Structures are given as C-alpha cells and as structure tokens.
Amino acid sequence: MQFEPKLETGVLLKRYKRFLADVALPDGQVITIHCPNTGSMKNCLFPGGPVWFSTSDNPKRKYPHTWELMQTDQQHLIGINTGRANALAEEAINQHVITELLGYDTLKREVKYGSENSRIDILLTSQTLPECYIEVKSCTLLEDQVGYFPDAVTTRGQKHLRELIHMVTMGHRAVLLFVVQHSGISTVKPARHIDPQYADLLEQAVAKGVEVLAYKTELSPQGSQIIGPCNVML
C-alpha cells in the first residue's frame, strides 16, 4: 500500500483529547493533526520524535492531516493509523501473502453478522469452502520485546471474540488476525495484564476453534505492506 500523496514529516509535540496531536513542521510552524487511534497508544508516544502524516483534500475536514507513522527512540517505526490495518489485510489476502487464507473466491468488507449487531472486517467466501469471518486488530504495544494486544481494556474487542465464537458454532470458519504495525514486534501475546477478560475470552475462543494469526507489516514513509507471519503465544 503506497502513500499517495506523499507523506509529510514533522516532530511530535503532544497527543491530547484522544484524537488530536500537535506537530512541529521543519519550518517551525505548529499544526494540529488528526490521531486515528482509539487505543491508549501505550509505548507509542515519543514527544520530540519524528512523525509522518498524510493530507486529505476533503474541504469539509476540520483537520486535513492524519497521523500515519511514529519513530521510536530505538528507531522502530509504528503504524499509528489503526484504520490502515484492514486495508493492509485485504491487500495481503488478495496478493496471497497470508497463506492460511488461500482458496477463497470473493472478499467483502464490513459485512453485518453475528448476534450482537456487529460488522465483520473481512468475509471470505467460496463455493467449496466454509465462509471465513476475519476480525482484524492492529498490534502496536511493545513491552520487553513482545507485542501485546490490547493496549487498553476493550469491551468492543471482547464482543468481537464472542461473535467469532458464535460463527464457529454456526459451522463457519472464524479468524482473529493481528496486523503488527510495529517494526520491533516479532511475537504477539494477549495483554492479560491490561485486559484479563479479553485474554480469558481469547482462550475460550481458541478452545472453541477460532484461529489466531499474526502478520508483520513492513513500514516506511513511502508505503506499508504485510510481509510475513509472526509468532503467536497464547
């Protein structure tokens, strides 16, 4: 996935009000950009560090710039825009990068499903295979050389796990796909120390037949793409 138009760069000053961040540009100007991340962004905020942001030509947007990347003190890159995870997953599936998801004929996004008024991120269908319901999560929290999800208590994520379990009981295939948007993460674990209920539900989901996959993203200011699997520790 290439960034078009080209990303611009600056230095992070602060994130605030959850969805806003102030950035200093190379010419000294300070702008406010949109922060498209609903999580706590734990271990993803490095004031004084380089950031990259995209620009929208939509005249209705109050904040035309969107935060895309952050560079850490250890020179790792983090994909801040969690909304990119679904597009990265779709691209990787279509390009046959995610080998566990080969053999399907059609891919649909944001399809209504389940018993709790949900929408599945990706639905794969085939004339010969069970329907495959895929919930995509962006993993960016790095602690002690391990990637964790979630980075804050997520009742929405808990609901998604219940929905995936329900799909398995209905005879479908259900997959939780972690898109790793942190160049320092090579192993993913549930963050029991942050959301023990989510970790418990994930254990139940796996026991019921929900599959858990994690794939690493190669990040750069030019573009990002999923390149291969990561280890999952449950």
Side-chain angles (χ1 to χ4, degrees), residues 25-37:
L25 301 182
D27 63 3
Q29 178 186 0
V30 175
I31 63 171
T32 299
I33 66 175
H34 172 57
C35 176
N37 193 310

Side-chain angles (χ1 to χ4, degrees), residues 72-89:
T72 75
D73 293 341
Q74 293 77 35
Q75 309 303 305
H76 293 306
L77 285 178
I78 305 173
I80 299 300
N81 189 344
T82 56
R84 298 280 185 187
N86 287 7
L88 287 164

Side-chain angles (χ1 to χ4, degrees), residues 72-141:
T72 75
D73 293 341
Q74 293 77 35
Q75 309 303 305
H76 293 306
L77 285 178
I78 305 173
I80 299 300
N81 189 344
T82 56
R84 298 280 185 187
N86 287 7
L88 287 164
E90 179 180 4
E91 179 183 74
I93 292 168
N94 287 334
Q95 294 179 354
H96 302 157
V97 174
I98 303 179
T99 56
E100 295 91 344
L101 301 176
L102 298 176
Y104 291 91
D105 302 321
T106 61
L107 181 153
K108 295 180 181 179
R109 295 264 301 265
E110 296 295 325
V111 177
K112 287 185 177 180
Y113 85 117
S115 59
E116 298 185 47
N117 193 29
S118 301
R119 288 181 179 270
I120 194 67
D121 290 322
I122 295 174
L123 172 62
L124 301 179
T125 59
S126 165
Q127 293 184 348
T128 58
L129 297 172
E131 290 184 348
C132 183
Y133 291 80
I134 305 168
E135 186 65 40
V136 179
K137 300 297 183 187
S138 177
C139 178
T140 58
L141 172 58

Side-chain angles (χ1 to χ4, degrees), residues 5 54-61 64-65:
S54 57
T55 303
S56 170
D57 58 4
N58 183 351
K60 296 182 179 180
R61 282 188 53 165
H65 308 299

Side-chain angles (χ1 to χ4, degrees), residues 9-13 23 46-52 67 69-73:
T9 190
V11 172
L12 177 66
L13 299 179
V23 172
F46 295 84
V51 300
W52 288 263
W67 190 359
L69 299 173
M70 175 89 234
Q71 183 173 293
T72 75
D73 293 341

Side-chain angles (χ1 to χ4, degrees), residues 18 38-40 150-158 191 193-198:
R18 196 177 187 185
T38 60
S40 71
D151 66 0
V153 174
T154 172
T155 55
R156 185 167 179 266
Q158 294 167 17
H193 59 299
I194 293 174
D195 190 343
Q197 188 170 349
Y198 185 89

